[in-house]
């Protein structure tokens, strides 16, 4: 497709469950980013992939959060033992290489995760 | 933490210019000023960026003060579709943090018919 696709668009899960959120970047974009946006706040950086490797995962809040990008395209954000505080919109973005000027970042519409 | 300060909200009449201010008094010499916007239920969208010169594109104009401690995003003829949260971000093009966008809370612009 022409844009960044994130699935599902909405996810409701029970506290303690495991969830996976998927991101399909724009074809050919080697850089991929995950952000998290809590209600009323701006997005916060979680992790950045260059190709298959996580170049910077410093934004992941704790070891319950993990992300993979095994073939350098689709990425999955995985959250174990979900907590109510994990409820947020999870945004994915992609860009060509590292896109030094940052105007090539394309964001998806996000996955709204609700932990009940 | 975001290095920018923006008013939490602004109103603008449809068809008029919207002028959104941003303070970034601690900006470093290698940091650019970026503007993104986020329409309800969508991801952020790039608008414009600049270093020290004023910039204009098909969406907006960016005016940066000579001391670079503040800037203004101008939407010349606001439409209802411009209603969104506008984020001002400072970001280096190289080195640590160059790929991260550090968002603050932004300015919620409401365009009024």
């Amino acid at each position: 497709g022409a844009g960044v696709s994130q699935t599902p668009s909405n996810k409701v899960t029970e506290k303690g469950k495991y969830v996976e959120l998927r991101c399909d970047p724009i074809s050919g974009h080697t850089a991929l980013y995950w952000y998290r946006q809590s209600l009323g706040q701006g997005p916060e950086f979680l992790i950045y992939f260059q190709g298959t490797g996580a170049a910077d995962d410093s934004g992941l809040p704790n070891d319950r959060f993990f992300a993979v990008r095994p073939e350098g395209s689709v990425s999955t954000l995985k959250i174990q033992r979900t907590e109510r505080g994990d409820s947020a919109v999870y945004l994915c973005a992609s860009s060509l290489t590292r896109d030094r000027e940052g105007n090539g970042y394309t964001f998806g519409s996000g996955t709204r995760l609700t932990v009940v | 933490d975001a290095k920018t300060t923006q008013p939490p909200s602004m109103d603008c009449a449809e068809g008029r210019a919207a002028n959104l201010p941003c303070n970034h008094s601690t900006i470093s010499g290698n940091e650019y000023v970026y503007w993104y916007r986020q329409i309800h239920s969508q991801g952020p969208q790039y608008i414009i960026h600049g270093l020290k010169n004023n910039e204009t594109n098909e969406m907006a104009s960016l005016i940066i003060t000579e001391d670079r401690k503040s800037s203004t995003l101008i939407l010349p003829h606001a439409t209802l579709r411009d209603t969104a949260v506008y984020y001002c971000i400072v970001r280096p093009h190289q080195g640590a943090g160059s790929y991260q966008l550090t968002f603050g809370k932004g300015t919620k612009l409401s365009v009024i018919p």
Side-chain angles (χ1 to χ4, degrees):
Chain A
V4 176
S5 176
Q6 292 189 247
T7 54
S9 55
N10 282 282
K11 176 71 176 178
V12 180
T13 191
E14 293 181 346
K15 179 175 177 294
K17 298 290 187 182
Y18 167 84
V19 295
E20 290 189 351
L21 311 179
R22 177 187 170 106
C23 173
D24 275 279
I26 290 174
S27 179
H29 279 191
T30 58
L32 186 146
Y33 317 81
W34 284 98
Y35 284 75
R36 177 170 73 170
Q37 186 170 24
S38 301
L39 189 64
Q41 306 294 318
E44 294 179 305
F45 170 79
L46 294 178
I47 186 169
Y48 154 57
F49 285 91
Q50 182 58 43
T52 61
D56 183 354
D57 64 358
S58 63
L60 295 177
N62 52 59
D63 61 7
R64 295 187 297 105
F65 289 73
F66 189 71
V68 296
R69 195 185 184 201
E71 298 179 355
S73 178
V74 171
S75 177
T76 304
L77 178 66
K78 308 180 180 192
I79 311 174
Q80 298 177 320
R81 304 183 304 281
T82 52
E83 300 177 356
R84 292 195 179 88
D86 299 334
S87 296
V89 175
Y90 289 82
L91 293 160
C92 177
S94 70
S95 68
L96 285 169
T97 63
R98 274 193 46 184
D99 183 37
R100 289 188 179 278
E101 297 225 346
N103 53 329
Y105 285 47
T106 302
F107 280 85
S109 295
T111 293
R112 180 176 298 279
L113 176 67
T114 304
V115 182
V116 298
Chain B
D1 291 340
K3 295 178 65 173
T4 60
T5 304
Q6 298 177 253
S9 64
M10 291 181 63
D11 291 343
C12 177
E14 187 178 17
R16 304 300 293 267
N19 296 280
L20 293 95
C22 180
N23 287 323
H24 31 79
S25 58
T26 61
I27 192 169
S28 300
N30 70 335
E31 288 180 318
Y32 286 65
V33 179
Y34 280 77
W35 284 83
Y36 276 72
R37 74 178 183 183
Q38 188 172 24
I39 295 170
H40 183 61
S41 297
Q42 296 183 22
Q45 175 192 23
Y46 166 83
I47 301 173
I48 199 167
H49 75 280
L51 182 63
K52 55 183 178 181
N53 297 321
N54 297 338
E55 303 288 345
T56 295
N57 63 20
E58 65 278 5
M59 289 182 69
S61 295
L62 174 60
I63 308 298
I64 303 174
T65 58
E66 191 169 346
D67 63 7
R68 302 210 321 126
K69 293 185 176 182
S70 65
S71 61
T72 301
L73 178 75
I74 302 172
L75 308 179
H77 306 287
T79 71
L80 299 179
R81 288 176 296 181
D82 292 321
T83 292
V85 177
Y86 287 76
Y87 296 100
C88 172
I89 298 166
V90 296
R91 169 180 174 262
H93 271 196
Q94 297 182 21
S98 60
Y99 47 80
Q100 289 188 25
L101 299 174
T102 302
F103 293 83
K105 292 188 177 181
T107 295
K108 179 168 175 51
L109 176 69
S110 298
V111 180
I112 310 301

